[in-house]
Amino acid sequence: MPLLPDSLPLQRGEPIPNWAALGSLYETSASAYLWHSADGGADQALIDSLLRAIDSAVAQGLPAERYYDRRLVDEPEVARRDLLLSDALLRLITDMGQGQPEAALQQRLWHLPRPQIDALALARRALAERDPVGVVAELAPRTPEYTALTELYQRYLLISRETPPPRLPGNLILKPGEQSDVVPLLRRYLVRLGDAEPDPVALATAPDLYDEPLVAALQSFQIRHGLEVDGVLGPKTLAELNRPMSERLEQIRVNLERWRWMPRELGERYILVSPAGYFLELVEAGQVVFYTRTITGRPRRPTPSFRSDLTRLTVNPDWTVPRRIMREDLLPKIREDLGWLEQNRVRVQRYDEGRWLNVAPEQVDWNDPGHIRLIQAPGPQNALGRMKFGMDNPFSIYLHDTPAQSLFDEPLRPFSSGCVRVQGIENLVQYLLLEQPQMQNWLADALAQEKTRIRSLPEPVPVYMVYLSAWIDDQGQAQFRPDIYGLDTQVQARIQRYSAVEYTDIVVNN
């Protein structure tokens, strides 16, 4: 190795090098340097390839400071520069191939395994093939969702470099058809973010009028940010319009980071569900072919991120109430009105001598019910609606219908106890069975009855539950939602805490 760890002082904001990996990388080299000739001359073509790889990573939301930024070029000491280049390559491969290690540390509610890569072997390959930019590019996620989010990040980055308009006044309420001297500023905001087109005629003839085109533009903004779509410029909409671009960029960065934790091969056909975004999309051959709204877990009963497979379809399901829901939600209702059970077609069973036996509600002490369970019969009132997709997972999460269809009209929908309610689930079922006439016949017959029917799907369909608070929808529109479970904040804190050295001129020793 050209330099010992205690000889490399780090500057403020620089990461601590991976000395073990660096040692292994240099041990297999016939030369003292990997990026320079024996006399210290720079291998500029090889270095330029790494710099292009870093530029590409920064364009995908990774911070340049993790890869020593300008010091890779400005460091005058050849041996130090060689080490910095090598560590930057190793770090870049890891970050792009499986996400920043610090960011994924002990992630609450995340149960998807991160991709497995051999960073050292890949670094050796990048050097042997003299192609760091190519090797790093192969590691990035290739899903349409990641690509679209990367493009959004770059667009917002360009916006952030413009001189921002003045803040909109926070005490304003502006309704359609009203006039206000703040209207031209509002127009600037909406044009800047792509929700409105420049309107020189309106500016020349009625600049202060909050007219219909501008109302439609604000409604577009409200839709994209999970706000009530009323066209009124009020406190919540103002808060989102005034949000600093730096915060929005950070939100996109966190979601790009989360994609880098994901498997690189999701399947030719898969379903993506976002608990934070309240959407489901079916992807086939890299194209979104079905997109719909969902209802997911409330903060006290969150929907975790994990992978499973749709394996079976239940038509007219009954519902065995989970114990937590029974204890916290239903027992208070039953104690107040025992008739609730009959009204909602719920029967009671008690576990006795190794069997579940039906028991009359009057025979249960509802203040201390013991080992009982509640089962809701199939039908229009059933909490699962008319259809349920079974998917094996340790969280007892599945996709299902709901009788409470009006809740899908809410902009934010954290109403479930963890499972995912799907708007228009029958359309998803029909799409999945499009080329399965036998299954379609079975489905039509099952829907004509009220009896519970269960059928295995012809092929399992992978499902990825992924917490995404920023994404591009099926119409190509940027969407943002609140960090309902506080997980974006957690990732941001870990990145800021672990990605940089806190003090100037730290000397790192083995």
Side-chain angles (χ1 to χ4, degrees), residues 367-506:
N367 291 311
D368 185 17
H371 200 180
I372 67 166
R373 69 181 182 184
L374 305 178
I375 302 175
Q376 188 177 34
Q381 294 175 287
N382 188 279
L384 305 184
R386 296 213 64 188
M387 297 183 185
K388 178 186 84 169
F389 277 114
M391 42 192 279
D392 296 329
N393 62 88
F395 314 105
S396 300
I397 301 292
Y398 42 85
L399 312 181
H400 67 86
D401 189 15
T402 176
Q405 292 291 314
S406 62
L407 292 179
F408 288 114
D409 295 331
E410 297 292 326
L412 304 179
R413 299 179 290 279
F415 303 129
S416 84
S417 293
C419 284
V420 178
R421 308 175 198 172
V422 181
Q423 185 179 38
I425 194 170
E426 66 278 4
N427 296 325
L428 175 61
V429 172
Q430 292 287 355
Y431 204 100
L432 290 174
L433 303 182
L434 202 58
E435 299 178 0
Q436 304 289 334
Q438 288 186 335
M439 280 288 290
Q440 287 184 332
N441 292 337
W442 173 87
L443 178 62
D445 182 61
L447 286 171
Q449 308 174 34
E450 195 172 294
K451 180 182 176 182
T452 299
R453 302 279 297 276
I454 304 175
R455 184 79 176 259
S456 295
L457 296 178
E459 293 182 3
V461 181
V463 178
Y464 298 89
M465 298 277 183
V466 186
Y467 188 85
L468 298 172
S469 64
W471 75 98
I472 306 298
D473 67 14
D474 62 328
Q475 302 298 314
Q477 295 295 310
Q479 298 283 339
F480 300 95
R481 295 296 183 273
D483 180 17
I484 185 173
Y485 300 159
L487 300 181
D488 285 1
T489 303
Q490 186 184 58
V491 175
Q492 291 170 13
R494 290 198 179 280
I495 290 174
Q496 293 166 2
R497 178 178 178 186
Y498 291 105
S499 66
V501 178
E502 297 295 330
Y503 305 104
T504 304
D505 296 332
I506 289 181

Side-chain angles (χ1 to χ4, degrees), residues 241-258:
L241 282 165
N242 280 327
R243 186 176 298 277
M245 188 57 67
S246 59
E247 291 185 15
R248 196 61 76 199
L249 283 168
E250 193 62 35
Q251 184 177 5
I252 301 172
R253 283 192 198 101
V254 167
N255 284 273
L256 285 168
E257 177 65 24
R258 215 170 261 126

